[in-house]
Amino acid sequence: MAVLPIRFIGDPVLRQTARQVSPEELASPEMQSFIDDLVETMRAAKGAGLAAPQVGNPVAIAAVCIEDNPRYPYKPNFPLTVFVNPVITVLSDETRSLYEGCLSVPDLRGRVERSMHIRVQAVNRHGEPIDFEVKGLTAGTFQHEFDHLIGMVFVDRVTDPSTFCNWANFDAFYRDDFVQEAEAIVAEFG
């Protein structure tokens, strides 16, 4: 496995719509090795998720894994999930404004309105169908990664630019209040 270089905002690959992956391509040793590298890169960067375009490969593959993440201690744990060719369906009109950051947009945070209940339909890395619902902060994480597959970055969804801040200022001025909000979301949605 290898840690791949993460692409940063301004790189055209982050603005492409990722192409679908065929079952044959997904099963190939090259693609399986790429998925291993994607997961290794996500873990090395301490990300809650990572999408293939973020490492320069515009294919519809992303991973989410939250295991006591020090960058996001308020996010509930969620097991490693690799999803390929996903479709996300919003299941509730309920939304919350969440502070988000992104490995492709270093040292920047901002508030994004996210749906609190979604359905994810995709195939896993072995080509088997997966279909599940997620709520709360986890739903926001999946939406964030899905956005990468349609050529969007979280900054595109920030409706109030005054919420942009770097990590140091987030920690100094906004973290405590947001952690309380996040804990309330976890209590409500799990």
Side-chain angles (χ1 to χ4, degrees):
M1 288 187 286
V3 173
L4 304 171
I6 293 174
R7 304 293 182 92
F8 301 122
I9 193 166
D11 188 317
V13 73
L14 294 174
R15 296 308 188 169
Q16 294 178 23
T17 298
R19 68 174 174 78
Q20 299 284 291
V21 179
S22 72
E24 296 77 24
E25 183 183 16
L26 181 59
S28 73
E30 296 80 15
M31 191 59 77
Q32 290 298 309
S33 178
F34 169 73
I35 291 170
D36 289 339
D37 293 346
L38 182 73
V39 170
E40 182 70 14
T41 303
M42 175 185 66
R43 288 185 166 145
K46 295 181 175 44
L50 193 65
Q54 291 181 269
V55 292
N57 192 350
V59 294
I61 299 175
V64 165
C65 183
I66 306 163
E67 296 172 337
D68 301 320
N69 190 311
R71 285 176 50 137
Y72 308 106
Y74 44 82
K75 285 191 176 194
N77 287 342
F78 194 86
L80 174 62
T81 303
V82 173
F83 51 107
V84 181
N85 303 334
V87 174
I88 288 183
T89 306
V90 172
L91 298 177
S92 167
D93 291 337
E94 220 167 337
T95 64
R96 295 290 187 281
S97 174
L98 308 176
Y99 265 105
E100 289 191 12
C102 180
L103 296 173
S104 291
V105 187
D107 200 29
L108 187 66
R109 314 256 307 148
R111 283 194 176 266
V112 177
E113 200 73 22
R114 293 292 189 187
S115 296
M116 288 290 100
H117 187 191
I118 64 168
R119 179 181 183 187
V120 179
Q121 295 170 287
V123 295
N124 66 17
R125 68 179 297 167
H126 306 294
E128 302 160 339
I130 54 175
D131 186 341
F132 56 92
E133 296 179 19
V134 285
K135 295 181 178 181
L137 299 177
T138 306
T141 301
F142 273 90
Q143 290 166 80
H144 178 106
E145 297 312 325
F146 180 80
D147 278 353
H148 282 297
L149 303 180
I150 60 171
M152 293 187 76
V153 182
F154 89 94
V155 296
D156 302 328
R157 295 206 183 266
V158 173
T159 56
D160 180 357
S162 72
T163 66
F164 282 123
C165 59
N166 67 11
W167 273 92
N169 283 336
F170 173 75
D171 285 344
F173 303 113
Y174 307 108
R175 176 182 283 280
D176 290 345
D177 288 342
F178 182 66
V179 167
Q180 288 181 354
E181 292 174 39
E183 288 171 348
I185 291 169
V186 171
E188 183 176 354
F189 296 101

Short mmCIF file of all heavy atoms in Angstrom, two decimals, residues 60 62-64 78 81-91 115 117-124 128-135 138-146 149:
data_model
loop_
_atom_site.label_atom_id
_atom_site.label_comp_id
_atom_site.label_asym_id
_atom_site.label_seq_id
_atom_site.Cartn_x
_atom_site.Cartn_y
_atom_site.Cartn_z
N ALA A 60 -15.63 7.10 -9.70
CA ALA A 60 -16.67 7.23 -8.68
C ALA A 60 -16.46 6.24 -7.54
O ALA A 60 -17.22 5.28 -7.36
CB ALA A 60 -18.05 7.07 -9.31
N ALA A 62 -15.25 6.27 -3.29
CA ALA A 62 -14.90 7.03 -2.09
C ALA A 62 -14.92 6.09 -0.90
O ALA A 62 -15.47 4.99 -0.96
CB ALA A 62 -15.87 8.19 -1.88
N ALA A 63 -14.32 6.55 0.18
CA ALA A 63 -14.28 5.78 1.42
C ALA A 63 -14.63 6.71 2.58
O ALA A 63 -14.29 7.90 2.55
CB ALA A 63 -12.91 5.16 1.63
N VAL A 64 -15.29 6.15 3.57
CA VAL A 64 -15.57 6.84 4.82
C VAL A 64 -15.17 5.91 5.95
O VAL A 64 -15.43 4.70 5.89
CB VAL A 64 -17.08 7.21 4.94
CG1 VAL A 64 -17.45 7.61 6.36
CG2 VAL A 64 -17.43 8.34 3.97
N PHE A 78 -17.80 5.25 12.68
CA PHE A 78 -18.48 4.58 11.57
C PHE A 78 -17.46 3.68 10.90
O PHE A 78 -16.34 4.13 10.61
CB PHE A 78 -19.05 5.60 10.57
CG PHE A 78 -20.03 5.02 9.61
CD1 PHE A 78 -21.38 4.93 9.95
CD2 PHE A 78 -19.62 4.52 8.38
CE1 PHE A 78 -22.29 4.37 9.07
CE2 PHE A 78 -20.54 3.96 7.50
CZ PHE A 78 -21.88 3.89 7.84
N THR A 81 -16.10 2.07 5.09
CA THR A 81 -17.06 1.77 4.03
C THR A 81 -16.51 2.35 2.74
O THR A 81 -16.31 3.56 2.63
CB THR A 81 -18.44 2.40 4.34
OG1 THR A 81 -18.89 1.91 5.61
CG2 THR A 81 -19.46 2.05 3.27
N VAL A 82 -16.25 1.48 1.78
CA VAL A 82 -15.85 1.90 0.44
C VAL A 82 -17.11 1.82 -0.41
O VAL A 82 -17.79 0.80 -0.44
CB VAL A 82 -14.74 1.00 -0.13
CG1 VAL A 82 -14.45 1.35 -1.59
CG2 VAL A 82 -13.47 1.12 0.72
N PHE A 83 -17.42 2.94 -1.09
CA PHE A 83 -18.62 2.93 -1.93
C PHE A 83 -18.27 3.37 -3.34
O PHE A 83 -17.53 4.32 -3.55
CB PHE A 83 -19.76 3.72 -1.30
CG PHE A 83 -19.45 5.13 -0.85
CD1 PHE A 83 -19.93 6.22 -1.56
CD2 PHE A 83 -18.70 5.36 0.30
CE1 PHE A 83 -19.68 7.51 -1.14
CE2 PHE A 83 -18.44 6.66 0.72
CZ PHE A 83 -18.92 7.74 -0.01
N VAL A 84 -18.80 2.61 -4.30
CA VAL A 84 -18.48 2.77 -5.71
C VAL A 84 -19.77 3.08 -6.47
O VAL A 84 -20.80 2.43 -6.24
CB VAL A 84 -17.83 1.48 -6.25
CG1 VAL A 84 -17.45 1.62 -7.72
CG2 VAL A 84 -16.62 1.08 -5.40
N ASN A 85 -19.69 4.05 -7.38
CA ASN A 85 -20.85 4.44 -8.20
C ASN A 85 -22.07 4.76 -7.34
O ASN A 85 -23.17 4.26 -7.59
CB ASN A 85 -21.20 3.36 -9.23
CG ASN A 85 -20.03 3.01 -10.14
OD1 ASN A 85 -19.16 3.83 -10.38
ND2 ASN A 85 -20.04 1.80 -10.66
N PRO A 86 -21.92 5.60 -6.34
CA PRO A 86 -23.02 5.80 -5.39
C PRO A 86 -24.14 6.68 -5.93
O PRO A 86 -23.94 7.55 -6.79
CB PRO A 86 -22.34 6.49 -4.21
CG PRO A 86 -21.24 7.27 -4.85
CD PRO A 86 -20.74 6.39 -5.96
N VAL A 87 -25.31 6.44 -5.37
CA VAL A 87 -26.46 7.31 -5.52
C VAL A 87 -26.89 7.66 -4.10
O VAL A 87 -27.03 6.78 -3.25
CB VAL A 87 -27.62 6.61 -6.26
CG1 VAL A 87 -28.87 7.48 -6.27
CG2 VAL A 87 -27.20 6.24 -7.67
N ILE A 88 -27.06 8.95 -3.85
CA ILE A 88 -27.49 9.40 -2.53
C ILE A 88 -28.88 10.01 -2.66
O ILE A 88 -29.11 10.83 -3.54
CB ILE A 88 -26.49 10.39 -1.92
CG1 ILE A 88 -25.22 9.64 -1.51
CG2 ILE A 88 -27.08 11.13 -0.73
CD1 ILE A 88 -24.17 10.48 -0.83
N THR A 89 -29.77 9.58 -1.78
CA THR A 89 -31.14 10.08 -1.77
C THR A 89 -31.42 10.73 -0.43
O THR A 89 -31.18 10.12 0.62
CB THR A 89 -32.15 8.92 -1.99
OG1 THR A 89 -31.79 8.22 -3.19
CG2 THR A 89 -33.56 9.44 -2.10
N VAL A 90 -31.89 11.96 -0.45
CA VAL A 90 -32.25 12.66 0.78
C VAL A 90 -33.59 12.10 1.26
O VAL A 90 -34.55 12.02 0.49
CB VAL A 90 -32.34 14.18 0.53
CG1 VAL A 90 -32.89 14.90 1.74
CG2 VAL A 90 -30.97 14.73 0.13
N LEU A 91 -33.66 11.72 2.53
CA LEU A 91 -34.86 11.09 3.09
C LEU A 91 -35.62 11.98 4.05
O LEU A 91 -36.67 11.59 4.55
CB LEU A 91 -34.49 9.78 3.79
CG LEU A 91 -33.87 8.71 2.91
CD1 LEU A 91 -33.49 7.49 3.74
CD2 LEU A 91 -34.81 8.31 1.78
N SER A 115 -28.18 17.65 4.78
CA SER A 115 -29.35 16.85 5.14
C SER A 115 -28.98 15.90 6.26
O SER A 115 -27.87 15.35 6.29
CB SER A 115 -29.83 16.05 3.93
OG SER A 115 -30.27 16.94 2.93
N HIS A 117 -30.64 13.03 7.05
CA HIS A 117 -31.04 11.64 6.87
C HIS A 117 -30.98 11.33 5.37
O HIS A 117 -31.73 11.90 4.59
CB HIS A 117 -32.45 11.41 7.41
CG HIS A 117 -32.89 9.99 7.42
ND1 HIS A 117 -34.19 9.64 7.67
CD2 HIS A 117 -32.23 8.82 7.21
CE1 HIS A 117 -34.30 8.32 7.62
NE2 HIS A 117 -33.12 7.81 7.34
N ILE A 118 -30.06 10.43 5.00
CA ILE A 118 -29.90 10.08 3.59
C ILE A 118 -29.82 8.57 3.43
O ILE A 118 -29.56 7.82 4.39
CB ILE A 118 -28.64 10.72 2.98
CG1 ILE A 118 -27.36 10.19 3.65
CG2 ILE A 118 -28.72 12.25 3.02
CD1 ILE A 118 -26.08 10.54 2.93
N ARG A 119 -30.03 8.15 2.21
CA ARG A 119 -29.86 6.74 1.81
C ARG A 119 -28.69 6.68 0.84
O ARG A 119 -28.61 7.50 -0.09
CB ARG A 119 -31.12 6.23 1.14
CG ARG A 119 -31.05 4.79 0.67
CD ARG A 119 -32.36 4.41 0.00
NE ARG A 119 -32.35 3.01 -0.39
CZ ARG A 119 -33.31 2.45 -1.11
NH1 ARG A 119 -34.36 3.17 -1.51
NH2 ARG A 119 -33.24 1.17 -1.43
N VAL A 120 -27.80 5.73 1.03
CA VAL A 120 -26.66 5.51 0.15
C VAL A 120 -26.86 4.16 -0.54
O VAL A 120 -27.01 3.14 0.13
CB VAL A 120 -25.33 5.50 0.93
CG1 VAL A 120 -24.15 5.24 0.00
CG2 VAL A 120 -25.14 6.81 1.69
N GLN A 121 -26.86 4.20 -1.86
CA GLN A 121 -26.93 2.98 -2.66
C GLN A 121 -25.69 2.96 -3.55
O GLN A 121 -25.40 3.96 -4.23
CB GLN A 121 -28.19 2.94 -3.51
CG GLN A 121 -29.47 2.88 -2.68
CD GLN A 121 -30.70 3.09 -3.54
OE1 GLN A 121 -30.97 4.21 -3.98
NE2 GLN A 121 -31.43 2.02 -3.79
N ALA A 122 -24.98 1.86 -3.54
CA ALA A 122 -23.73 1.77 -4.29
C ALA A 122 -23.36 0.29 -4.41
O ALA A 122 -24.18 -0.59 -4.09
CB ALA A 122 -22.64 2.55 -3.56
N VAL A 123 -22.14 0.04 -4.82
CA VAL A 123 -21.56 -1.29 -4.67
C VAL A 123 -20.31 -1.12 -3.83
O VAL A 123 -19.71 -0.04 -3.78
CB VAL A 123 -21.23 -1.97 -6.03
CG1 VAL A 123 -22.50 -2.24 -6.81
CG2 VAL A 123 -20.24 -1.17 -6.85
N ASN A 124 -19.93 -2.18 -3.14
CA ASN A 124 -18.71 -2.13 -2.34
C ASN A 124 -17.52 -2.45 -3.24
O ASN A 124 -17.67 -2.65 -4.45
CB ASN A 124 -18.81 -3.02 -1.10
CG ASN A 124 -18.89 -4.50 -1.43
OD1 ASN A 124 -18.57 -4.95 -2.54
ND2 ASN A 124 -19.32 -5.30 -0.47
N GLU A 128 -20.40 -5.90 -4.75
CA GLU A 128 -21.65 -6.32 -4.13
C GLU A 128 -22.50 -5.10 -3.79
O GLU A 128 -21.97 -4.10 -3.29
CB GLU A 128 -21.36 -7.11 -2.85
CG GLU A 128 -20.50 -8.33 -3.09
CD GLU A 128 -19.82 -8.83 -1.81
OE1 GLU A 128 -19.67 -8.06 -0.85
OE2 GLU A 128 -19.41 -10.00 -1.82
N PRO A 129 -23.81 -5.17 -4.06
CA PRO A 129 -24.67 -4.02 -3.75
C PRO A 129 -24.69 -3.72 -2.26
O PRO A 129 -24.71 -4.63 -1.43
CB PRO A 129 -26.05 -4.46 -4.22
CG PRO A 129 -25.83 -5.63 -5.10
CD PRO A 129 -24.55 -6.27 -4.66
N ILE A 130 -24.65 -2.43 -1.94
CA ILE A 130 -24.83 -1.98 -0.57
C ILE A 130 -25.92 -0.91 -0.59
O ILE A 130 -26.05 -0.15 -1.55
CB ILE A 130 -23.53 -1.45 0.07
CG1 ILE A 130 -22.87 -0.36 -0.78
CG2 ILE A 130 -22.55 -2.60 0.31
CD1 ILE A 130 -21.65 0.27 -0.14
N ASP A 131 -26.72 -0.90 0.45
CA ASP A 131 -27.87 0.01 0.52
C ASP A 131 -28.12 0.25 2.00
O ASP A 131 -28.46 -0.68 2.74
CB ASP A 131 -29.07 -0.65 -0.15
CG ASP A 131 -30.28 0.26 -0.27
OD1 ASP A 131 -30.36 1.28 0.45
OD2 ASP A 131 -31.17 -0.07 -1.07
N PHE A 132 -27.89 1.47 2.45
CA PHE A 132 -28.05 1.75 3.87
C PHE A 132 -28.44 3.20 4.06
O PHE A 132 -28.29 4.03 3.16
CB PHE A 132 -26.77 1.42 4.65
CG PHE A 132 -25.54 2.12 4.14
CD1 PHE A 132 -25.14 3.34 4.68
CD2 PHE A 132 -24.77 1.57 3.12
CE1 PHE A 132 -24.01 3.99 4.20
CE2 PHE A 132 -23.64 2.22 2.64
CZ PHE A 132 -23.26 3.43 3.18
N GLU A 133 -28.92 3.51 5.25
CA GLU A 133 -29.28 4.86 5.62
C GLU A 133 -28.32 5.36 6.69
O GLU A 133 -27.86 4.57 7.52
CB GLU A 133 -30.72 4.91 6.17
CG GLU A 133 -31.77 4.54 5.15
CD GLU A 133 -33.19 4.56 5.69
OE1 GLU A 133 -33.43 5.19 6.75
OE2 GLU A 133 -34.05 3.93 5.05
N VAL A 134 -28.02 6.64 6.63
CA VAL A 134 -27.20 7.27 7.66
C VAL A 134 -27.84 8.59 8.06
O VAL A 134 -28.55 9.21 7.27
CB VAL A 134 -25.73 7.49 7.22
CG1 VAL A 134 -24.96 6.19 7.22
CG2 VAL A 134 -25.65 8.15 5.86
N LYS A 135 -27.59 8.96 9.30
CA LYS A 135 -28.20 10.17 9.85
C LYS A 135 -27.13 11.05 10.49
O LYS A 135 -26.02 10.61 10.76
CB LYS A 135 -29.25 9.81 10.90
CG LYS A 135 -30.45 9.07 10.35
CD LYS A 135 -31.46 8.76 11.45
CE LYS A 135 -32.69 8.07 10.87
NZ LYS A 135 -33.68 7.79 11.91
N THR A 138 -22.82 11.77 10.37
CA THR A 138 -22.36 10.76 9.41
C THR A 138 -22.98 11.00 8.05
O THR A 138 -22.31 10.85 7.02
CB THR A 138 -22.67 9.34 9.93
OG1 THR A 138 -22.12 9.20 11.24
CG2 THR A 138 -22.09 8.28 9.02
N ALA A 139 -24.24 11.40 8.02
CA ALA A 139 -24.88 11.74 6.75
C ALA A 139 -24.13 12.89 6.08
O ALA A 139 -23.92 12.90 4.86
CB ALA A 139 -26.35 12.10 6.96
N GLY A 140 -23.71 13.87 6.88
CA GLY A 140 -22.93 14.98 6.34
C GLY A 140 -21.62 14.52 5.74
O GLY A 140 -21.20 15.01 4.67
N THR A 141 -20.96 13.57 6.38
CA THR A 141 -19.68 13.05 5.88
C THR A 141 -19.88 12.37 4.52
O THR A 141 -19.10 12.60 3.59
CB THR A 141 -19.06 12.07 6.89
OG1 THR A 141 -18.85 12.76 8.14
CG2 THR A 141 -17.73 11.52 6.40
N PHE A 142 -20.91 11.56 4.41
CA PHE A 142 -21.16 10.89 3.13
C PHE A 142 -21.50 11.90 2.03
O PHE A 142 -21.04 11.77 0.90
CB PHE A 142 -22.26 9.84 3.26
CG PHE A 142 -21.75 8.50 3.71
CD1 PHE A 142 -21.67 8.19 5.05
CD2 PHE A 142 -21.33 7.55 2.79
CE1 PHE A 142 -21.17 6.96 5.48
CE2 PHE A 142 -20.83 6.32 3.20
CZ PHE A 142 -20.76 6.03 4.54
N GLN A 143 -22.28 12.92 2.36
CA GLN A 143 -22.61 13.94 1.36
C GLN A 143 -21.35 14.69 0.91
O GLN A 143 -21.20 15.00 -0.28
CB GLN A 143 -23.65 14.91 1.93
CG GLN A 143 -25.01 14.27 2.10
CD GLN A 143 -25.92 15.13 2.96
OE1 GLN A 143 -26.49 16.10 2.48
NE2 GLN A 143 -26.03 14.78 4.24
N HIS A 144 -20.47 14.97 1.84
CA HIS A 144 -19.21 15.65 1.52
C HIS A 144 -18.41 14.84 0.51
O HIS A 144 -17.92 15.38 -0.49
CB HIS A 144 -18.42 15.87 2.82
CG HIS A 144 -17.09 16.51 2.62
ND1 HIS A 144 -16.85 17.83 2.96
CD2 HIS A 144 -15.92 16.05 2.12
CE1 HIS A 144 -15.60 18.13 2.68
NE2 HIS A 144 -15.01 17.06 2.17
N GLU A 145 -18.26 13.53 0.76
CA GLU A 145 -17.48 12.69 -0.16
C GLU A 145 -18.20 12.54 -1.50
O GLU A 145 -17.56 12.55 -2.56
CB GLU A 145 -17.19 11.32 0.47
CG GLU A 145 -16.35 11.38 1.72
CD GLU A 145 -15.10 12.25 1.62
OE1 GLU A 145 -14.48 12.32 0.54
OE2 GLU A 145 -14.74 12.90 2.62
N PHE A 146 -19.51 12.41 -1.48
CA PHE A 146 -20.27 12.31 -2.73
C PHE A 146 -20.07 13.57 -3.57
O PHE A 146 -19.94 13.49 -4.80
CB PHE A 146 -21.76 12.08 -2.42
CG PHE A 146 -22.60 11.97 -3.67
CD1 PHE A 146 -22.65 10.81 -4.39
CD2 PHE A 146 -23.34 13.06 -4.11
CE1 PHE A 146 -23.42 10.71 -5.55
CE2 PHE A 146 -24.11 12.98 -5.26
CZ PHE A 146 -24.15 11.80 -5.99
N LEU A 149 -17.37 13.49 -5.98
CA LEU A 149 -17.59 12.67 -7.17
C LEU A 149 -18.38 13.41 -8.24
O LEU A 149 -18.45 12.95 -9.38
CB LEU A 149 -18.29 11.36 -6.78
CG LEU A 149 -17.55 10.52 -5.73
CD1 LEU A 149 -18.33 9.25 -5.44
CD2 LEU A 149 -16.12 10.21 -6.15
#
